[in-house]
């Protein structure tokens, strides 16, 4: 009857919640957020690549190709912003470890026919945790910089397909999209 219902409800409210929290790496037994301790892990060579697309439209693509955007050289500024962004990832993403990046590169290429700026990043370090977030942040910041520099010419710009394309090093090994 009703006593059985209360017993089941009480069980569902307490036990599954503790079980779920105990399996999450960034949540302690009480459900509070925490940074994972990577101090016991040996540093290894780590790398990651990421990519995204900025759909700018034909008019803006023409302006970029002719260096006609009033704010300046879109692709060069976006490239630099992406590299700088990779180094600030732990300031932007909660619980992300600050890393000693040994290499960061961002390429921004205009595909005039498709009216897209293709953004690719690569980040490396010798560390105890991976650089996937740094590679993704580099692409994202570069893409947002393209948007910022071109928004006066078009409000229809979109950032799409932000993705990790590869990673290597660490316990989980190699991944390639």
């Amino acid at each position: 009857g009703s006593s059985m219902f209360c017993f089941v409800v009480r069980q569902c409210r307490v036990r599954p919640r503790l079980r779920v929290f105990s399996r999450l790496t960034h949540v302690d037994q009480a459900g509070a957020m925490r940074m994972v301790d990577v101090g016991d892990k040996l540093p290894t060579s780590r790398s990651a690549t990421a990519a995204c697309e900025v759909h700018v439209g034909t008019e803006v693509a023409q302006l970029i190709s002719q260096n006609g955007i009033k704010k300046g050289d879109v692709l060069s500024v976006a490239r630099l912003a992406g590299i700088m962004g990779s180094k600030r990832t732990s300031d932007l993403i909660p619980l992300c470890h600050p890393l000693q990046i040994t290499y960061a590169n961002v390429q921004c290429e205009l595909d005039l026919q498709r009216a897209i700026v293709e953004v690719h990043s690569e980040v490396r370090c010798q560390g105890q945790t991976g650089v996937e977030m740094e590679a993704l942040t580099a692409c994202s910041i570069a893409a947002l910089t393209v948007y910022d520099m071109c928004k006066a010419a078009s409000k229809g710009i979109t950032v799409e397909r932000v993705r990790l394309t590869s990673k290597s090093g660490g316990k989980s090994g190699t991944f390639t999209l």
Side-chain angles (χ1 to χ4, degrees), residues 116-131:
I116 291 173
V117 175
E118 294 180 0
V119 182
H120 298 272
S121 69
E122 180 180 6
V123 180
R124 294 184 218 142
C125 81
Q126 291 289 323
Q128 295 156 302
T129 189
V131 289

Side-chain angles (χ1 to χ4, degrees), residues 64-80:
I64 292 171
S65 74
Q66 298 163 359
N67 202 18
I69 296 293
K70 290 181 182 180
K71 286 190 171 186
D73 181 350
V74 173
L75 303 180
S76 295
V77 174
R79 180 178 181 275
L80 182 57

Side-chain angles (χ1 to χ4, degrees), residues 34-41 97:
R34 67 180 172 107
M35 182 179 268
V36 173
D37 184 355
V38 295
D40 291 336
K41 294 169 76 175
H97 291 86

Side-chain angles (χ1 to χ4, degrees), residues 58-154:
T58 54
E59 186 178 313
V60 173
Q62 281 294 335
L63 288 169
I64 292 171
S65 74
Q66 298 163 359
N67 202 18
I69 296 293
K70 290 181 182 180
K71 286 190 171 186
D73 181 350
V74 173
L75 303 180
S76 295
V77 174
R79 180 178 181 275
L80 182 57
I83 292 169
M84 292 173 65
S86 73
K87 299 188 301 180
R88 302 298 302 263
T89 301
S90 65
D91 293 334
L92 301 170
I93 309 293
L95 308 179
C96 203
H97 291 86
L99 300 177
Q100 193 70 35
I101 292 173
T102 58
Y103 176 81
N105 191 28
V106 174
Q107 295 297 321
C108 298
E109 297 174 14
L110 177 64
D111 182 334
L112 197 53
Q113 240 178 4
R114 293 173 50 216
I116 291 173
V117 175
E118 294 180 0
V119 182
H120 298 272
S121 69
E122 180 180 6
V123 180
R124 294 184 218 142
C125 81
Q126 291 289 323
Q128 295 156 302
T129 189
V131 289
E132 297 93 337
M133 294 308 300
E134 287 71 14
L136 288 163
T137 299
C139 274
S140 299
I141 296 297
L144 291 172
T145 300
V146 171
Y147 183 94
D148 178 59
M149 293 187 73
C150 299
K151 68 183 181 225
S154 172

